[in-house]
Amino acid sequence: MITGSLVALITPMTNNGDVDSVKLQELIEFHLQAGTHGIVAVGTTGESATLDYEEHANVIRQVVECVAGRVPVIAGTGANSTHEAIDLTKRAKDAGADACLLVTPYYNKPTQEGLYQHFKAIADAVDIPQILYNVPGRTACDMSNETSLRLASIKNIVGIKDATGDLARGKALIEAAPADFAVYSGDDPTAIDLILLGAKGNISVTANVAPAKASKAAALALEGKAAEAKAVDASLLGLHKNLFLESNPIPVKWACAQLGLCEEGIRLPLTLFANTFHNQVIDAMKQAEVIA
């Protein structure tokens, strides 16, 4: 079972919007040296929505090759087309990913039965561990706990990223889930609390900027050391909040650029981070002690 701080990795781009393969490799080494427990490639934070099909598959391949088995790689392969999600998942398996992360279909708003059939079809088609991803604030599609638990009975559906931020709902899911089905937080502000309730880790935006502290907080929480985990996490609270002053990944890419990890490149319809908010993110980075 994959556990700990799993960075929802940005996809570095040059200032003209091209994927920057050199910076991608440097970024992976930065995370491995900082103690990040796993890499999530081409999820929401990795701009999956604006990478074309070949770029999407190539970034997954590059991440797998660069990581070279040192930590697990989870590939974002979700889509609102079941056919497309199956194909991307096949390509991630062929590239050597350890698992896939599959977001609920966005925009077309399937029923709960439609969600079940969608994820079942992908699981039946591709023999790789699969993690469901529920983030209704972005998809306009909310998968119920009941549907998640129904899917948990499928052999290669091994977990869920719960980005609802609803701790009561997350606790209920953890308590009802089979022992071999992992619940991960996808909400940085509540992640440590959810891990202390039994979640297996956090798929984190904040970890892009403060990977060492994010991994330490997650590890302490997994050990049940609540006070110590929360003390580490307290220094990250500003990042948890201010990295969402504009739509993710706009602020986090800017923050990473300030650390020299990448250029500020991002693709339309996302735009460069507004000057109005720069000082708030800088203050949060100082609080996290990633800059002086």
Side-chain angles (χ1 to χ4, degrees), residues 1 19 60 62 91 146 168 192 205 217-218 221 224 226 236 241 245 266 268 283:
M1 184 177 287
V19 174
I60 291 169
Q62 288 174 48
R91 295 185 70 165
E146 291 74 18
I192 296 304
V205 175
L236 303 178
K241 176 183 177 183
L245 287 168
I266 199 164
L268 289 171
D283 289 346

Side-chain angles (χ1 to χ4, degrees), residues 192 213 217 220 225-237:
I192 296 304
K213 285 195 172 186
L220 288 166
K225 297 177 179 177
E228 294 173 58
K230 289 186 177 184
V232 175
D233 191 55
S235 66
L236 303 178
L237 295 179

Side-chain angles (χ1 to χ4, degrees), residues 234-259:
S235 66
L236 303 178
L237 295 179
L239 288 175
H240 296 342
K241 176 183 177 183
N242 292 339
L243 291 180
F244 291 88
L245 287 168
E246 291 189 324
S247 295
N248 181 44
I250 293 172
V252 71
K253 291 199 88 173
W254 183 85
C256 287
Q258 306 319 297
L259 295 174

Side-chain angles (χ1 to χ4, degrees), residues 2 28-29 32 36-39 60-74 95-99:
I2 299 169
I28 290 165
E29 295 300 331
L32 295 175
T36 293
H37 301 123
I39 308 284
I60 291 169
R61 178 185 52 77
Q62 288 174 48
V63 171
V64 171
E65 289 177 356
C66 185
V67 170
R70 289 175 285 177
V71 297
V73 174
I74 302 170
D98 295 284

